[in-house]
Amino acid sequence: MSGPQAVVIDFHAHIYTDDMAPKAISSVKRRMGVRVPGLGTVSDLKESMAKAGVERSVILPLAPLPRHVGPTNDFFIAAAGNGDGLIPFGSIHPFQEDLEEELDRLLASGVQGVKAVPFMQRFYPDDPRCDRLYDGVAERGMLLLLHAGKVPEDLPEFFGTPDRFARMAKRHPDLVVVLAHLGGWEMWSAVREYLIPAEENVYFDTAYISPSLSSEEAGDLIREIGADRVLFGTDYPWTDQAEEIEFVEGMDLPAREKRMILSQNARRLLFL
């Protein structure tokens, strides 16, 4: 199983409008000083998928403020509308007034999950004020994907820490949550302490771990988590999809577990 022959689902990719993509990438390069191999447009993502052998990509929006949620979701639903491999998640803000209405609108459009970003939207995952979001997502049978841990930028606080996610998951056993970046980017010792023993409803994706972990280190952590709880994610355009597939294939894991990570777990969660 390698490269274009592999059947792969990327559970964590980002897109922007053609106008916004160059600005977003330029901003990240300037602020974080990181390599950005993708262009961030719909057309470039599709080319990347074809080259890497990625069958489907879950596209994840970002909405810093409640007023950004609706227009952002409109763009993502439209971008995935022709059914050629893009699976849209919706943006959501835990404190927006029309939260339930927006979840219903997304569900009616065929959207199966939503993403929230603690450090960007400035909320603590274990804040009881977020229960409205968690209950709304769980009641509708949707998935919740959350940025977890740090980012490659010097911020005073990151809000989404493994201990807070563990408390959230314990309080909401009916909520199926996916924590990006193997549960907490550059907070993996805390992932081991708090999240590996957490509820069975907690899943982890592999997005953007390769800049910080070797295949050996990542494989060790995945063995502790359990491969049945791990989803392949790239964080496109911030990493190269083909390179990220090779990163997973380089892990010292059984081929069966690599298949689970690269596609089977995602198929199960997305009912594909």
Side-chain angles (χ1 to χ4, degrees):
M1 185 175 55
S2 64
Q5 287 73 43
V7 176
V8 175
I9 297 173
D10 183 349
F11 214 90
H12 191 132
H14 298 284
I15 56 167
Y16 303 88
T17 65
D18 288 352
D19 289 338
M20 283 300 302
K23 300 173 185 176
I25 288 175
S26 176
S27 174
V28 168
K29 284 182 175 179
R30 183 179 68 254
R31 291 178 4 247
M32 302 185 187
V34 297
R35 166 182 175 251
V36 184
L39 298 180
T41 61
V42 173
S43 59
D44 186 67
L45 173 57
K46 290 178 181 177
E47 289 180 14
S48 172
M49 291 167 62
K51 175 184 174 183
V54 174
E55 178 187 35
R56 306 188 190 199
S57 290
V58 175
I59 47 175
L60 302 173
L62 305 172
L65 298 173
R67 62 184 171 85
H68 299 141
V69 169
T72 299
N73 288 340
D74 290 342
F75 166 64
F76 272 71
I77 291 169
N82 55 11
D84 57 355
L86 301 186
I87 300 173
F89 270 30
S91 62
I92 203 72
H93 195 293
F95 304 143
Q96 67 185 83
E97 292 184 6
D98 63 339
L99 188 149
E100 290 84 4
E101 291 85 351
E102 187 64 13
L103 289 176
D104 286 337
R105 185 174 80 94
L106 290 168
L107 197 60
S109 298
V111 175
Q112 299 181 62
V114 291
K115 181 179 182 181
V117 186
F119 80 90
M120 181 182 292
Q121 297 170 323
R122 302 185 68 81
F123 70 90
Y124 296 106
D126 57 344
D127 185 338
R129 293 180 299 165
C130 296
D131 288 352
R132 180 176 161 222
L133 168 62
Y134 305 146
D135 291 341
V137 171
E139 287 167 3
R140 289 161 178 80
M142 301 175 80
L143 307 173
L144 176 64
L145 192 147
L146 295 163
H147 173 88
K150 301 179 181 180
V151 293
E153 187 175 10
D154 186 19
L155 299 179
E157 190 169 8
F158 296 98
F159 292 84
T161 56
D163 59 323
R164 292 185 181 275
F165 288 126
R167 287 193 287 272
M168 173 203 76
K170 186 173 183 178
R171 286 212 320 267
H172 298 275
D174 295 331
L175 174 69
V176 180
V177 60
V178 179
L179 299 178
H181 320 297
L182 279 186
W185 195 73
E186 295 203 337
M187 293 183 175
W188 292 295
S189 61
V191 170
R192 285 182 160 94
E193 181 177 356
Y194 296 106
L195 283 174
I196 290 178
E199 308 302 309
E200 293 183 358
N201 59 325
V202 179
Y203 291 79
F204 304 77
D205 80 29
T206 66
Y208 206 77
I209 61 171
S210 62
S212 295
L213 296 176
S214 67
S215 283
E216 180 180 4
E217 291 168 331
D220 288 344
L221 181 53
I222 289 172
R223 268 192 295 273
E224 294 179 50
I225 292 170
D228 60 327
R229 299 170 71 189
V230 178
L231 304 155
F232 174 68
T234 66
D235 223 358
Y236 168 94
W238 317 116
T239 65
D240 179 272
Q241 287 182 310
E243 292 177 2
E244 294 304 297
I245 293 171
E246 292 301 322
F247 180 74
V248 171
E249 291 183 337
M251 296 177 187
D252 185 19
L253 297 171
R256 177 183 61 85
E257 294 189 355
K258 292 177 186 177
R259 288 194 297 271
M260 294 167 65
I261 294 166
L262 288 170
S263 66
Q264 291 174 358
N265 294 336
R267 289 185 183 280
R268 175 163 45 87
L269 285 185
L270 296 171
F271 302 103
L272 298 176

